[in-house]
Amino acid sequence: MLKFAFGVLALCFTWSNDALASEDAGIFFNQIKNTKNTFSLPDSKVLVSTVKNEQVVILDNQRYVVKGKLYDLWSKSEVNSKDDIDKNKDFFPFSQLKLNAAKLLDNKVKNADYAVFIDPLNNPNETYKKVKNKLLGQKKIQLIYTVDVKSLNDEKLKRFFGFSCLIDKLDFTLENPFPDNVIPHDSPCDDRIYNTTGISMLLNITPPLIIDLSKDKIINL
């Protein structure tokens, strides 16, 4: 489990530097990969890094950093009040992240109108029905299979590995395309599982999450 977590975090930082296109974000992620520039505060998940000779506080939600003022890396804007956070809370820069679908554990739908992060181990068939109803039967839905990393343990991780061996067999013409029982595996059949889980950890994603790809906007289920 610990080895998996370190592997995922390494992917997070490598991916982040390419994905976040702004100059500030690129410099920031380059700097925090250098452990000489980054340290943790005692008894805290908060990190402090030195970027351009300026100390930056990295919160446990890596979307927000404090550099003199709170800064939203996703909308590339300073946060001066709660109104600024509320204004952009449903913004999700999926298109800016330049995610290569071939690297994600998904249902291989191209040119999708919506992306949906879904946990295949937590009532996925019920969630899938709710998503289809919410989107009024929209057919072009990219399902991205991930798990709630906050509740991830060894047992669930092995089941997720087992699920990665079944994704090519799922039939979404069925009413219940997801299998009820997944046989645990000690390792995944598809390495894309690391990329997808890494993205979920970095972006603090809790499935299910629906994104309107035309607007980069979260739709509440």
Side-chain angles (χ1 to χ4, degrees):
M1 180 70 177
L2 187 61
K3 180 180 179 182
F4 173 77
F6 278 122
V8 165
L9 285 173
L11 279 168
C12 284
F13 290 130
T14 301
W15 165 81
S16 301
N17 187 38
D18 294 332
L20 292 166
S22 73
E23 181 183 0
D24 282 349
I27 293 172
F28 169 72
F29 281 111
N30 267 328
Q31 292 290 327
I32 65 173
K33 284 192 291 185
N34 185 344
T35 55
K36 293 181 180 179
N37 295 330
T38 305
F39 59 91
S40 60
L41 297 179
D43 301 318
S44 173
K45 294 181 180 179
V46 173
L47 299 175
V48 178
S49 185
T50 302
V51 181
K52 286 186 173 181
N53 297 319
E54 177 185 23
Q55 282 196 326
V56 176
V57 178
I58 308 161
L59 306 180
D60 56 350
N61 181 341
Q62 295 92 347
R63 172 175 178 171
Y64 299 103
V65 298
V66 179
K67 41 178 250 178
K69 291 185 177 181
L70 192 63
Y71 189 78
D72 185 340
L73 285 174
W74 290 11
S75 64
K76 302 183 182 69
S77 60
E78 288 186 350
V79 177
N80 296 304
S81 67
K82 186 176 182 298
D83 289 341
D84 291 335
I85 292 179
D86 292 340
K87 179 176 63 178
N88 293 309
K89 68 179 181 179
D90 291 332
F91 176 71
F92 191 101
F94 197 90
S95 61
Q96 296 178 30
L97 299 179
K98 301 178 182 178
L99 298 177
N100 185 341
K103 295 181 180 179
L104 294 177
L105 197 67
D106 69 353
N107 61 342
K108 300 180 181 179
V109 170
K110 296 181 179 180
N111 302 316
D113 300 299
Y114 299 92
V116 179
F117 288 84
I118 188 169
D119 186 341
L121 305 179
N122 185 19
N123 299 318
N125 287 309
E126 181 180 343
T127 300
Y128 181 60
K129 291 175 186 176
K130 289 181 179 179
V131 168
K132 288 200 300 182
N133 290 336
K134 181 71 175 183
L135 302 180
L136 302 177
Q138 172 59 248
K139 294 182 179 179
K140 289 197 173 183
I141 302 173
Q142 179 187 11
L143 293 175
I144 303 170
Y145 311 120
T146 188
V147 290
D148 185 353
V149 294
K150 296 175 184 176
S151 63
L152 191 61
N153 53 37
D154 285 338
E155 179 184 356
K156 189 170 184 179
L157 180 61
K158 289 181 179 180
R159 290 180 62 220
F160 193 30
F161 285 165
F163 172 79
S164 73
C165 303
L166 303 174
I167 57 172
D168 291 333
K169 301 176 183 178
L170 300 181
D171 185 352
F172 289 96
T173 62
L174 299 176
E175 185 68 16
N176 297 305
F178 291 92
D180 293 327
N181 296 311
V182 177
I183 299 175
H185 282 229
D186 290 329
S187 59
C189 295
D190 194 321
D191 286 342
R192 292 180 300 164
I193 199 171
Y194 295 112
N195 295 340
T196 308
T197 308
I199 289 168
S200 298
M201 291 179 69
L202 179 69
L203 300 181
N204 205 33
I205 291 172
T206 301
L209 179 69
I210 305 174
I211 304 164
D212 182 339
L213 298 179
S214 67
K215 301 176 181 177
D216 275 349
K217 184 177 180 180
I218 294 172
I219 298 176
N220 295 319
L221 184 60

